[in-house]
């Protein structure tokens, strides 16, 4: 709680008073170094406003940083021209309206779990972390290969013999950013040193391939990063901002539907209410225009809010790395933030919208091509179904 002199006192720590400088700064108490960090809060966002009034200063005695990345895509590649053979569309319409030229799609016996494990192995190799030194695996996906989650199967494929906790996070195209923040929370809370964050999705399995309004957008992929504990002075997560708004479900969803052929009748001839009917998920339903409007409104807001919490100006961003949904969305956000196009990462021409995989996939390509260098600052933002959206200002390496 702040008093008139700008001092913050924490009620849980008696006689503990702390002067908070704007945003993050290092303090020393009783022989250990403590970083004061202004974090984000998760809030409802009726008007999609940034919660600048609600910043809560937090003490961070343990930092976290990104030390490795990797990615993998299925072998089958489908160009716009090939797509136009099965649905009424054409390369010009798709590339002008979205920037997408081709996408990779799981086929035959391909498995999303294997794809995710391949991406994870590359990230571990870059980070020089042994599978047995992983403390936690977070699989960010909305398309798990088992109702109960895919993360433990990835753990098995990686050959982790010490049974590290592994679980799924479902938040569509915001999944990877939320996974990154969850990794930071686990590390900062103590007890976790190496956290593997994987973003992997196979939306091709939930697309209606006769609906030209949605099927042209999506592709399948996996990307991964290793987030590692470090001294608070080296902390590489400068600020973040995250939101969700359940009202937006009408604009983008793939809801559960009852199997119609399962209408068994009871002895009176009426439809039996028990046992429940078998269910499955419907194909992706989307109001593209509304999702577009939501993205160009909320993404700049969330990045501005995260930058404010980090105490950094937009000019300090070396790279803008957005969820790869539509080039027109990426361009609109960059323009609004006044970030020149040469500092914007984009690879959706080759992959389409790969949901939770898109940010780590683009990061991995940019790091391995030498574009993104150690020590550079990245503003990453995800947005999508839920609706969910959020951003993180991070340092690479
Ligand atoms: N090929 C050719 N014509 C098409 C196609 C197509 N694939 N799709 C639509 N059209 C036609 C329409 O029928 C319409 O024709 P009409 O004017 O004769 O009626 C015309 O093109 C314009 O259609 P719109 O839907 O208005 O096109 P728009 O410019 O809005 O672009 C798009 C559609 C690309 C889907 C865009 O709205 C968009 O990208 N929205 C954001 C989607 C998004 O980012 N989703 C994120 C999902 S992330 C997650 O969480 C899963």
């Amino acid at each position: 709680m702040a008093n008139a002199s700008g001092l913050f006192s924490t009620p849980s720590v008696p006689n503990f008073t702390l002067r908070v400088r704007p945003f993050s700064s290092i303090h020393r108490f009783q022989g250990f170094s403590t970083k004061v960090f202004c974090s984000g809060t998760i809030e409802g966002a009726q008007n999609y406003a940034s919660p600048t009034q609600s910043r809560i200063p937090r003490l961070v005695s343990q930092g976290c940083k990104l030390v490795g990345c990797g990615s993998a895509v299925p072998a089958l590649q489908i160009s716009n021209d090939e797509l136009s053979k099965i649905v009424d569309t054409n390369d010009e319409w798709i590339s002008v309206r979205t920037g997408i030229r081709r996408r990779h799609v799981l086929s035959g016996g391909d498995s999303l779990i294997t794809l995710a494990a391949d991406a994870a192995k590359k990230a571990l190799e870059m980070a020089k972390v042994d599978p047995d030194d992983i403390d936690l695996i977070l699989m960010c996906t909305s398309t798990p290969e088992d109702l109960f989650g895919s993360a433990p199967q990835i753990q098995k494929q990686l050959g982790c013999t010490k049974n590290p906790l592994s679980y799924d996070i479902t938040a569509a195209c915001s999944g990877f950013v939320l996974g990154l923040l969850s990794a930071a929370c686990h590390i900062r809370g103590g007890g976790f040193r190496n956290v593997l964050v994987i973003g992997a999705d196979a939306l091709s399995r939930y697309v209606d391939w006769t609906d030209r309004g949605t099927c042209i957008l999506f592709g399948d992929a996996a990307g991964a990063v290793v987030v590692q504990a470090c001294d608070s002075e080296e902390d590489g997560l400068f600020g973040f901002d995250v939101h969700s708004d359940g009202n937006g479900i009408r604009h983008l969803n793939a809801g559960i539907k009852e199997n119609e052929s399962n209408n068994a009748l009871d002895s009176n001839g009426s439809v039996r209410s028990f046992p429940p009917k078998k269910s499955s998920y419907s194909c992706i339903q989307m109001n593209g225009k509304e999702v577009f409007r939501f993205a160009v409104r909320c993404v700049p807001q969330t990045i501005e809010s995260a930058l404010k919490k980090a105490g950094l100006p937009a000019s300090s961003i070396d790279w803008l790395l957005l969820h790869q949904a539509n080039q027109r969305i990426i361009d609109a956000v960059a323009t609004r933030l006044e970030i020149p196009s040469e500092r914007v990462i984009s690879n959706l021409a080759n992959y389409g919208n790969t949901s939770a995989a898109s940010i780590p996939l683009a990061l991995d390509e940019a790091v391995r091509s030498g574009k993104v260098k150690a020590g550079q600052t990245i503003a990453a933002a995800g947005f999508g179904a839920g609706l969910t959206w959020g951003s993180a200002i991070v340092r690479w390496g």
Side-chain angles (χ1 to χ4, degrees), residues 8 16 18-29 33-39 56-61 232 235 238 309-310:
F8 280 70
F16 182 95
L18 162 69
R19 183 181 295 280
V20 176
R21 293 190 205 136
F23 309 106
S24 64
S25 56
I26 308 287
H27 296 262
R28 287 192 179 276
F29 298 103
S33 122
T34 304
K35 187 171 186 186
V36 176
F37 180 78
C38 293
S39 76
I56 302 165
R58 295 226 183 117
L59 302 179
V60 175
S61 58
S232 57
D235 188 47
F238 302 134
K309 290 163 187 168

Side-chain angles (χ1 to χ4, degrees), residues 3 14 16 23 76 89 122-123 131 142-143 158 173 176 178 203 210 226 230 233 251 277 283 316 319-320 387:
N3 62 26
F16 182 95
F23 309 106
L76 180 65
T89 189
K122 291 176 194 166
S142 298
T143 54
L158 292 176
C173 304
F176 179 76
L178 301 187
L203 288 182
T210 65
V226 177
C230 61
E233 287 85 351
H251 301 315
K277 296 168 194 164
C283 288
S316 68
W319 296 105
L320 180 66
L387 297 172

Side-chain angles (χ1 to χ4, degrees), residues 89 93 97 172-173 212 252 286 288-289 291 325-326 328 353 384-385:
T89 189
W93 193 96
R97 299 273 181 149
C173 304
R212 67 179 184 173
L252 182 54
M286 184 180 74
K289 279 200 189 314
V291 176
N326 185 317
R328 290 190 290 140
N353 178 344

